């Protein structure tokens, strides 16, 4: 890519600068589990995530402006506006899982939200909660209280971020529930544009930035199967891998089953055939 300067790497994505105002976010087919990127790719995974983000950006524009400028023909590259990113991860939880469940089990609260006693793992919360986290340079994001997050970004911006993220999450979870997918929680990245407006960035409401659970298998009281990565997790557990680098190669049936789950999530949520997306990625933007 001669006209793009590489400016950042995520575990499974790359970021390039196109010019002073525009970035290119490229989603690879790499997959991580237990925080390790595996040596085997899942074909089209990056396209599914890119298409889903574009779909949600188009449908949430009345809730918040977003950074999307366009999708490239490859289906995995998003041209976007360059923003001043907020130094917090904006997490919304509708269900008690992951670090939210761990924190609640230890303290009865998540990021300063005191919750009723006796809740079980994966329970649906009475109301979704905004649970900000710091952006760790390496390793794990750390949950912080609203007060700590407000110190980092300012009280006014914090309140606006919370309001917008809760509204985005409520919209998406209702939309997904009607299509058989529980969005248990999700992480948003927000930035400020040149006019100081709060803008939704990064990827949004994808299985990599959220917990997707199959609604027909939802059973509170323990961990839930992942809509997308369960075959990968089950295979990795069965190998006896110690969850340190490097991870195991995935056999063909695990790759194919996992690809099918990503494509199924895309088709259920968008109502668009994935082949139609491959033929013209901008179908998700209409
Ligand atoms: C931005 N990241 C995360 C890191 C990736 C992604 N619109 C934007 N303006 C300015 N900065 C960012 C964005 C977006 N989106 C996103 N870091 C900065 C990230 C590494 C690789 F693909």
């Amino acid at each position: 890519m001669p006209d793009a300067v590489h400016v950042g790497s995520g575990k499974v994505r790359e970021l390039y600068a196109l010019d002073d105002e525009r970035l290119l976010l490229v989603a690879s087919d790499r997959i991580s589990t237990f925080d390790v990127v595996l040596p085997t790719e899942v074909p089209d995974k990056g396209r599914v995530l890119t298409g889903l983000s574009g779909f949600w950006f188009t449908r949430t524009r009345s809730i918040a402006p977003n950074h999307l400028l366009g999708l490239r023909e490859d289906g995995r590259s998003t041209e976007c506006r360059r923003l001043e990113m907020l130094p917090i991860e904006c997490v919304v939880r509708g269900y008690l899982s992951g670090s939210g469940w761990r924190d609640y089990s230890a303290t009865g609260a998540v990021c300063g939200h005191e919750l009723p006693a006796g809740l079980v793992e994966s329970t649906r919360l009475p109301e979704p909660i905004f649970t900000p986290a710091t952006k760790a340079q390496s390793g794990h994001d750390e949950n912080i209280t609203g007060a700590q997050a407000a110190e980092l970004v300012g009280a006014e911006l914090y309140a606006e971020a919370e309001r917008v993220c809760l509204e985005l999450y409520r919209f998406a979870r209702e939309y997904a529930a009607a299509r058989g997918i529980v969005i248990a929680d999700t992480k948003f990245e927000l930035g400020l544009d040149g006019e100081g407006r709060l803008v939704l960035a990064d990827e949004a409401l994808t299985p990599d930035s959220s917990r997707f659970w199959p609604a027909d298998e939802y059973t509170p009281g323990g961990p839930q199967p992942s809509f997308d990565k369960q075959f990968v997790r089950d295979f990795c557990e069965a190998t006896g891998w110690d969850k340190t680098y490097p991870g195991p190669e995935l056999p063909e049936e695990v790759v194919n089953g996992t690809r099918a789950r990503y494509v199924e999530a895309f088709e259920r949520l968008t109502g668009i055939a994935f082949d139609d997306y491959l033929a013209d990625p901008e179908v998700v933007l209409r």
Side-chain angles (χ1 to χ4, degrees):
M1 235 175 328
D3 292 333
V5 175
H6 187 246
V7 294
S9 284
K11 279 208 298 263
V12 301
R13 299 172 311 149
E14 304 296 335
L15 194 58
Y16 300 86
L18 297 172
D19 56 41
D20 289 351
E21 275 123 49
R22 297 179 309 139
L23 298 175
L24 190 69
L25 196 56
V26 182
S28 75
D29 292 336
R30 299 193 292 271
I31 186 167
S32 70
T33 191
F34 305 112
D35 277 323
V36 174
V37 177
L38 300 179
T40 313
E41 295 191 332
V42 173
D44 293 326
K45 172 177 175 285
R47 294 189 174 93
V48 165
L49 269 47
T50 300
L52 269 177
S53 288
F55 175 82
W56 290 119
F57 283 142
T58 299
R59 280 148 189 86
T60 58
R61 210 162 274 145
S62 64
I63 301 173
N66 60 66
H67 73 163
L68 178 106
L69 295 171
L71 299 180
R72 291 212 166 164
E73 289 279 359
D74 65 7
R76 66 173 69 254
S77 305
T78 305
E79 293 188 6
C80 52
R81 289 194 280 155
R82 194 172 208 159
L83 306 168
E84 187 84 51
M85 300 304 290
L86 301 194
I88 56 170
E89 305 282 3
C90 294
V91 178
V92 179
R93 301 172 188 276
Y95 294 74
L96 207 43
S97 180
S99 69
W101 165 243
R102 283 195 298 278
D103 292 352
Y104 169 77
S105 298
T107 70
V110 185
C111 297
H113 298 270
E114 291 284 346
L115 296 173
L119 299 180
V120 297
E121 184 174 7
S122 306
T123 203
R124 184 178 158 119
L125 295 169
E127 299 292 339
I129 55 176
F130 185 65
T131 61
T134 58
K135 290 185 186 183
Q137 285 303 339
S138 62
H140 272 117
D141 297 340
E142 192 187 338
N143 287 341
I144 55 178
T145 64
Q148 289 171 309
E151 264 185 61
L152 289 171
V153 302
E156 196 183 355
L157 204 50
Y158 178 77
E160 174 75 351
E162 175 173 41
R163 185 188 66 73
V164 162
C165 290
L166 286 169
E167 199 174 332
L168 288 166
Y169 173 73
R170 283 184 179 282
F171 170 81
R173 91 150 160 198
E174 185 173 314
Y175 196 97
R179 290 152 184 86
I181 294 175
V182 174
I183 303 182
D185 52 37
T186 195
K187 178 171 83 180
F188 297 111
E189 298 258 9
L190 301 179
L192 296 173
D193 69 10
E195 275 72 60
R197 279 182 298 247
L198 203 52
V199 178
L200 178 60
D202 207 273
E203 63 177 69
L205 299 160
T206 68
D208 272 16
S209 65
S210 320
R211 280 191 182 82
F212 281 17
W213 295 336
D216 60 351
E217 292 175 55
Y218 173 62
T219 315
Q224 304 302 298
S226 163
F227 192 94
D228 43 298
K229 286 185 180 170
Q230 201 56 45
F231 297 141
V232 172
R233 292 192 188 146
D234 291 348
F235 171 79
C236 288
E237 296 273 20
T239 63
W241 171 48
D242 66 2
K243 297 169 189 173
T244 65
Y245 177 87
E249 299 265 10
L250 300 176
E252 188 177 55
E253 64 271 19
V254 173
V255 170
N256 293 342
T258 302
R259 180 187 180 280
R261 292 294 276 177
Y262 278 99
V263 170
E264 186 181 347
F266 175 95
E267 292 187 334
R268 277 210 215 177
L269 289 171
T270 66
I272 297 167
F274 188 61
D275 281 344
D276 291 349
Y277 177 74
L278 295 179
D280 176 12
E282 295 208 330
V283 288
V284 294
L285 308 184
R286 300 199 257 265

